Amino acid sequence: MRVVSLVPSLTEAVAVTLPGVLVGATDWCTHPADLDVARVGGSKYPDLERVLALRPDLVLLNVEENRRADADALAAAGVPVRVTYPRTVPEALTELADLLGTLGAAQEPAWLHAARRAWADPPRLDPVRRAVVPVWRRPWVVLGSDTFAGDVLRRLGVANVYAEHPERYPRPDLAELRGQDADLVVLPDEPYRFTAADGPEAFAGTPCALLSGRHLTWYGPSLAAAPAVLAGQLARPVTGPGRPAR
């Protein structure tokens, strides 16, 4: 089996579970740190000629990470593709188990068992915090309805203000975001790299939790540690340009 992954979280899942199966990955596939496979460009704009040159038996894609046009082009070239689209933690765990079984794993890996245990009873904020969750700025883009990251946060005691919005990624202006009277602003470090000096200053007076984007949005081995990592970060918000919140 020769697999090319265009999804960073699936790259990590396959690489640590089935060494030798993965032959290609995107430039954004940063885990595991010692990954040594051919690189095929970005997730949004992969070099399909490089992908095809690797003679893959399967290419892994995701509805949010990758473009439909690339999936169609690969299929037209006769390359089997597998497109993932988990929108909840249970869906992610099921898709991962199914994928790894298809690729030849004789049993579920230890990290997947650990992830199931970790998410069976994750730590939760009490009381629940109403939050806006920007994932980009210039323009501002926030988590809306039916997203994997939104489900992750819900399970940790964060109620997304835009969870019932008709769009999955609304684009409200900053005045609207500030007017939501949220208890918390959640600022992950990907896809936009929010930091203590880039993001909290836009929400003066509102606590801002700086979260690991990998643990918030990736579905792979990072799921095992995600509840503890994210809960710790949610418990230590900042206000303004990096000052501890009161």
Side-chain angles (χ1 to χ4, degrees), residues 6-47:
L6 304 183
V7 186
S9 54
L10 294 183
T11 295
E12 183 181 15
V14 174
V16 303
T17 306
L18 296 162
V21 167
L22 201 68
V23 296
T26 76
D27 299 341
W28 298 105
C29 294
T30 56
H31 290 73
D34 60 352
L35 183 66
D36 184 18
V37 298
R39 300 294 177 156
V40 297
S43 300
K44 293 296 184 187
Y45 297 99
D47 186 328

Side-chain angles (χ1 to χ4, degrees), residues 178-238:
R178 290 171 172 167
Q180 292 297 329
D181 195 27
D183 305 314
L184 184 69
V185 178
V186 173
L187 299 173
D189 61 12
E190 61 176 74
Y192 185 91
R193 187 172 179 78
F194 287 106
T195 67
D198 184 357
E201 82 289 346
F203 302 96
T206 303
C208 296
L210 298 167
L211 265 55
S212 162
R214 175 169 173 259
H215 291 91
L216 178 62
T217 64
W218 288 32
Y219 52 103
S222 59
L223 278 173
V229 170
L230 296 174
Q233 293 170 334
L234 288 167
R236 297 189 303 274
V238 300

Side-chain angles (χ1 to χ4, degrees), residues 74-198:
L74 290 167
V79 177
V81 299
R82 182 157 181 154
V83 181
T84 58
Y85 191 28
R87 281 153 287 180
T88 67
V89 171
E91 286 178 3
L93 296 173
T94 297
E95 286 199 20
L96 286 164
D98 290 347
L99 171 63
L100 296 173
T102 297
L103 297 182
Q107 58 187 13
E108 288 191 4
W111 64 261
L112 189 49
H113 282 295
R116 292 189 190 281
R117 291 194 300 271
W119 284 103
D121 185 23
R124 289 177 55 85
L125 292 174
D126 185 17
V128 170
R129 307 296 199 277
R130 294 180 67 259
V132 293
V133 190
V135 294
W136 200 261
R137 69 182 302 181
R138 305 182 189 96
W140 289 96
V141 181
V142 300
L143 287 186
S145 58
D146 202 28
T147 66
F148 174 75
D151 186 64
V152 166
L153 291 171
R154 181 183 65 81
R155 294 170 188 274
L156 298 175
V158 177
N160 178 12
V161 170
Y162 287 92
E164 303 301 321
H165 195 279
E167 297 178 15
R168 300 184 71 240
Y169 293 97
R171 296 189 173 200
D173 60 28
L174 184 56
E176 179 180 328
L177 293 179
R178 290 171 172 167
Q180 292 297 329
D181 195 27
D183 305 314
L184 184 69
V185 178
V186 173
L187 299 173
D189 61 12
E190 61 176 74
Y192 185 91
R193 187 172 179 78
F194 287 106
T195 67
D198 184 357

